[in-house]
Amino acid sequence: GSLNLTAAALRLGDAPAGSTDADGTLRLGEDFLERGGFHRFNLDGRQSLTVEAGTQLAPRARLWRATNAPRLAPSGSTDWYKALRLEEPASGYALPVTLRLASSGYTATDPQGRLLIDTGAAITLAPTSRLELSARNQLRLDGRLVAPGGQVSLGLAGAGAPSQARALWLGSTSVIDVA
């Protein structure tokens, strides 16, 4: 399945000590992308999307498997969901995922649309997975991206704001590894 989330601002990872999030910010813990049976994640922080310093993201696809409990349930039972169990794929068979992180802004004239993968942050995907990072105005990578045998793409999307310089910045601590 696919998961699509859009918020005014999106932050992945724990909040730095003593900080508070602005109104309209959705904060997701670093384990959020490991919980469900999704194989495609689309996350868009319209104003900004930040992967906090030190955050380790490792999205993985898990499988919903049916148990034999339904055959013991009474006819007409509404407890069918209890028959499903979330499992890891068989050992050595990690399922590829597609992770798209974006900060699309609101309009071409709005100086929003900033995506940051902060220093010490890492996104590690299963083999042959795909990672897409895009921002309307500014994309800064200071962390580590790992997708063995997979694909990583970074780009500025759409027209930028005339009042703001557009930039795709690979910092001195950035790593992109698809080996």
Side-chain angles (χ1 to χ4, degrees):
S2 296
L3 174 67
N4 298 303
L5 284 176
T6 301
L10 188 56
R11 300 183 78 92
L12 296 161
D14 295 330
S19 70
T20 58
D21 292 330
D23 288 344
T25 300
L26 174 62
R27 180 170 294 277
L28 302 173
E30 67 181 37
D31 66 337
F32 179 79
L33 300 176
E34 300 173 23
R35 294 186 198 165
F38 300 108
H39 73 281
R40 182 170 178 80
F41 301 90
N42 293 305
L43 307 179
D44 187 358
R46 300 292 299 267
Q47 294 172 1
S48 64
L49 186 146
T50 301
V51 178
E52 299 286 357
T55 298
Q56 306 297 304
L57 298 178
R60 53 180 214 247
R62 296 171 70 189
L63 304 172
W64 287 103
R65 298 225 190 250
T67 66
N68 59 2
R71 59 188 183 109
L72 302 174
S75 176
S77 174
T78 59
D79 293 339
W80 58 268
Y81 62 90
K82 292 179 182 176
L84 297 175
R85 181 175 59 220
L86 196 58
E87 293 182 352
E88 297 294 327
S91 179
Y93 295 100
L95 299 173
V97 299
T98 298
L99 175 61
R100 180 179 174 273
L101 301 179
S103 185
S104 61
Y106 290 108
T107 66
T109 58
D110 190 345
Q112 304 299 323
R114 296 179 308 274
L115 191 148
L116 169 64
I117 310 297
D118 213 345
T119 305
I123 301 173
T124 305
L125 302 177
T128 70
S129 293
R130 180 178 175 90
L131 175 62
E132 302 171 18
L133 304 178
S134 68
R136 180 175 292 273
N137 285 305
Q138 297 175 359
L139 192 159
R140 181 174 179 129
L141 173 62
D142 288 316
R144 181 177 181 86
L145 309 176
V146 179
Q151 298 176 354
V152 174
S153 66
L154 292 85
L156 298 176
S163 62
Q164 182 173 346
R166 299 180 79 202
L168 193 155
W169 181 270
L170 301 179
S172 62
T173 59
S174 65
V175 174
I176 301 172
D177 181 0
V178 293

